[in-house]
Amino acid sequence: MVGIIVTLRRLEAGVVVNRTVLVVDDNAKIVEVLSAYLKSEGFDVRTAADGPSAVASVAEQRPDIALLDIMLPGIDGIELTRRFQREHDLPIILVTAKTEEIDRLIGLEIGADDYVSKPFSPREVVARVKAVLRRVDGSHIPDAPSAIEVGDMRIDNERREVTIAGEVVELTRTEFELLATMASHPGRVYGRLQLLEAVSGDAFEGYERTIDAHVKNLRKKIGDDPRNPRYVRTVFGVGYKVGTD
Amino acid sequence: MVGIIVTLRRLEAGVVVNRTVLVVDDNAKIVEVLSAYLKSEGFDVRTAADGPSAVASVAEQRPDIALLDIMLPGIDGIELTRRFQREHDLPIILVTAKTEEIDRLIGLEIGADDYVSKPFSPREVVARVKAVLRRVDGSHIPDAPSAIEVGDMRIDNERREVTIAGEVVELTRTEFELLATMASHPGRVYGRLQLLEAVSGDAFEGYERTIDAHVKNLRKKIGDDPRNPRYVRTVFGVGYKVGTD
DNA sequence: CAGGGGCTTCACAGGCAGTTCACACGTGGT
DNA sequence: ACCACGTGTGAACTGCCTGTGAAGCCCCTG
């Protein structure tokens, strides 16, 4: 069981302080991947592998937000959520193994600020962490515009929704991640390995050409012709990019 | 007239040099992935697939840091660590297959500067490489160069795009690599073998004159006259260079 | 447990890019 | 000025890269 704490910058008595995120999961790999992403986004990260460790970590120093797995040794995520919210008014994002659990949790009025179901992409988690922090203290969190526009296409990270000329386009999780990743830096070229990592969290396993398949499906849905693309351009021998030539 | 925007560099006797990382692993894919990420962060990367090759590579030219797999044909990573640290005072990051091995290794006081356990994310590795280099020589490591300017030509690595006086010039992958490689050290002369390696990743197969063909095509696209070049100059009997005379 | 959706992998086809060759031209040395 | 050798160049050839449809697999759903 591992817990991670992450932070984004915040102004405190005139001093710039990184936001701290506590990540709690017993899967070391998940913790590692999330840590890397959160750190690269400017958060400070602390980790815990089980319930009691998480409690100790929060008691020692209150993080700005906690990411809790539900299945946890010692004390489970639900109990932790109750305790942290009551005692520390801590924003919480719960991680569940099954989608259906979310409904049950909401029914139980657990009161977490957001939920993420596995499998999730690191990008998605980071986006939600930022969203919750933004919502909670309404402040300026650098980066992460909630929506990006490329031509008449609009990518809304918070709602996880893409519209073209106002029309909603239904995308799968992977397709959205692919598009959102590339659109976060329009014009920048992304290699297949980078995209594979952004989509699956691991660049080492998996077939690079899988990305091609997703790009194909994505293009079909957004009505993009590979020969004359408006949105997703292929960069021969390198990868793909979105937007400006 | 040469202008450099940003880059991962260090001043050495007045000369700008990229940091060099030696990646040693017998898994070709891992080497490939790590190389890609490290290069995209502005590092020069050399690779070796076994112990003896690594020794030869370091003897030939000392890298700034080495990334060693523990399980290695010929000479294992632990022995390499001892040798490199004793003989070259080389910063080392060890890669292990099992987390538990790390504790054992620390117990053995191998003296590596850091450890990474598989599976790891490429980002994590890059972060640790930077951290170790920062720790070792105290200097801040800036982010990867986003663009280099030579006269009115701008080479944007992130977008993989070249503009001259604001006009975009369409280049193939090889042409871009060629130009970007030479432009990373304006004024420095590159031999055909060096360029062949930079472009194909392998200097030992291929015809040197192939570079000439690419230079020809490149010059045509950027509007450079071989007799009176503004950007890519021929160094008779040696190779090519970009920029200042 | 049958159905469906989504992710991955595979095989094939077409096209673009890389390589090579041969010859013309320029360079530098004698 | 001549010669030898390195370089510029256009065209043909080869090979790699990408786009694509289809099949397999896994997980979730009803």
Side-chain angles (χ1 to χ4, degrees):
Chain A
M1 193 51 107
V2 179
I4 302 171
I5 299 190
V6 184
T7 58
L8 214 45
R9 281 186 180 71
R10 157 184 64 173
L11 236 57
E12 200 167 76
V15 180
V16 175
V17 184
N18 285 353
R19 300 299 184 103
T20 301
V21 180
L22 173 63
V23 179
V24 188
D25 201 308
D26 55 344
N27 181 324
K29 183 169 182 183
I30 289 179
V31 169
E32 192 180 336
V33 171
L34 289 179
S35 295
Y37 270 82
L38 289 164
K39 282 177 184 167
S40 79
E41 291 290 322
F43 291 93
D44 285 341
V45 181
R46 296 214 309 272
T47 67
D50 56 63
S53 305
V55 170
S57 182
V58 170
E60 189 188 334
Q61 184 166 4
R62 180 184 176 279
D64 293 284
I65 187 174
L67 221 55
L68 306 178
D69 188 16
I70 288 190
M71 296 292 293
L72 229 43
I75 311 172
D76 73 24
I78 295 172
E79 175 57 26
L80 282 180
T81 301
R82 287 209 182 86
R83 201 183 290 194
F84 288 159
Q85 292 208 325
R86 189 178 61 231
E87 298 175 8
H88 301 92
D89 189 27
L90 196 59
I92 303 280
I93 296 178
L94 275 177
V95 177
T96 95
K98 299 162 198 158
T99 311
E100 68 218 34
E101 272 194 345
I102 291 181
D103 297 329
R104 190 171 64 79
L105 290 169
I106 292 174
L108 287 173
E109 292 178 358
I110 297 302
D113 296 271
D114 203 351
Y115 304 86
V116 180
S117 62
K118 300 177 184 176
F120 52 78
S121 80
R123 258 188 42 81
E124 177 178 357
V125 174
V126 170
R128 296 203 184 211
V129 166
K130 287 182 180 178
V132 168
L133 286 176
R134 199 159 34 230
R135 198 188 310 148
V136 165
D137 61 20
S139 73
H140 52 298
I141 291 183
D143 169 340
S146 59
I148 298 165
E149 289 183 355
V150 178
D152 61 352
M153 178 172 66
R154 179 186 175 84
I155 298 147
D156 189 323
N157 282 291
E158 237 157 83
R159 306 178 61 168
R160 308 211 114 235
E161 184 178 273
V162 172
T163 56
I164 292 179
E167 290 294 306
V168 174
V169 179
E170 293 291 342
L171 298 181
T172 68
R173 186 185 63 87
T174 303
E175 287 153 15
F176 183 88
E177 284 299 327
L178 208 53
L179 184 58
T181 298
M182 292 191 287
S184 69
H185 295 91
R188 173 171 171 177
V189 179
Y190 290 80
R192 287 181 175 70
L193 287 172
Q194 279 179 285
L195 294 173
L196 199 55
E197 187 198 354
V199 152
S200 70
D202 190 339
F204 292 97
E205 55 190 42
Y207 185 36
E208 286 187 41
R209 295 293 310 279
T210 297
I211 295 300
D212 295 42
H214 290 301
V215 167
K216 181 194 58 169
N217 297 331
L218 174 59
R219 278 172 167 162
K220 190 170 188 177
K221 290 184 181 177
I222 63 179
D224 227 2
D225 176 8
R227 310 299 179 82
N228 190 22
R230 285 176 301 166
Y231 309 112
V232 180
R233 301 169 190 279
T234 122
V235 180
F236 200 97
V238 183
Y240 299 92
K241 70 175 177 180
V242 154
T244 326
D245 287 300
Chain B
M1 164 48 176
V2 178
I4 300 168
I5 308 267
V6 192
T7 175
L8 178 56
R9 295 165 176 210
R10 134 189 85 163
L11 243 57
E12 198 168 77
V15 180
V16 177
V17 185
N18 284 355
R19 300 301 183 101
T20 301
V21 181
L22 175 64
V23 178
V24 187
D25 200 309
D26 55 345
N27 180 325
K29 180 155 190 195
I30 288 180
V31 169
E32 183 189 339
V33 172
L34 289 180
S35 295
Y37 273 81
L38 288 165
K39 281 177 183 166
S40 79
E41 289 291 322
F43 291 93
D44 285 342
V45 179
R46 298 213 309 272
T47 65
D50 56 64
S53 306
V55 171
S57 182
V58 170
E60 189 186 334
Q61 185 165 6
R62 180 184 176 279
D64 292 286
I65 187 173
L67 223 55
L68 306 178
D69 188 15
I70 288 190
M71 295 294 293
L72 227 46
I75 310 172
D76 71 26
I78 296 173
E79 174 57 26
L80 283 180
T81 301
R82 286 209 183 87
R83 203 184 289 196
F84 288 160
Q85 291 211 325
R86 189 178 60 231
E87 297 173 11
H88 302 91
D89 189 29
L90 196 60
I92 304 279
I93 295 179
L94 276 177
V95 177
T96 96
K98 300 162 201 156
T99 311
E100 65 222 36
E101 273 193 345
I102 290 181
D103 298 329
R104 192 172 63 78
L105 290 168
I106 293 174
L108 288 174
E109 290 178 359
I110 298 302
D113 296 270
D114 203 349
Y115 306 84
V116 179
S117 62
K118 298 178 185 176
F120 49 80
S121 85
R123 289 167 188 283
E124 179 77 19
V125 174
V126 170
R128 294 201 187 209
V129 166
K130 287 185 179 177
V132 168
L133 286 176
R134 203 159 31 230
R135 197 190 310 148
V136 166
D137 63 18
S139 73
H140 173 63
I141 299 179
D143 283 332
S146 71
I148 296 169
E149 287 182 354
V150 178
D152 61 351
M153 178 172 65
R154 179 187 173 86
I155 299 150
D156 190 323
N157 285 291
E158 210 167 74
R159 302 168 68 97
R160 290 204 140 246
E161 181 179 277
V162 172
T163 55
I164 293 179
E167 289 295 306
V168 174
V169 179
E170 295 289 345
L171 298 181
T172 67
R173 182 189 42 150
T174 303
E175 287 152 15
F176 183 89
E177 288 296 338
L178 208 54
L179 183 58
T181 298
M182 292 191 289
S184 71
H185 303 285
R188 171 170 160 184
V189 181
Y190 289 80
R192 287 181 175 70
L193 283 175
Q194 273 180 286
L195 294 172
L196 200 55
E197 182 181 9
V199 149
S200 67
D202 188 351
F204 302 105
E205 60 186 43
Y207 185 36
E208 284 189 41
R209 296 295 309 282
T210 297
I211 295 300
D212 295 42
H214 290 301
V215 168
K216 178 200 57 171
N217 297 330
L218 174 59
R219 278 172 165 161
K220 189 171 188 176
K221 290 183 180 176
I222 63 179
D224 227 2
D225 176 7
R227 320 294 181 76
N228 188 22
R230 283 177 301 168
Y231 309 112
V232 180
R233 301 170 188 280
T234 302
V235 181
F236 200 94
V238 184
Y240 299 92
K241 70 174 178 179
V242 154
T244 324
D245 291 296

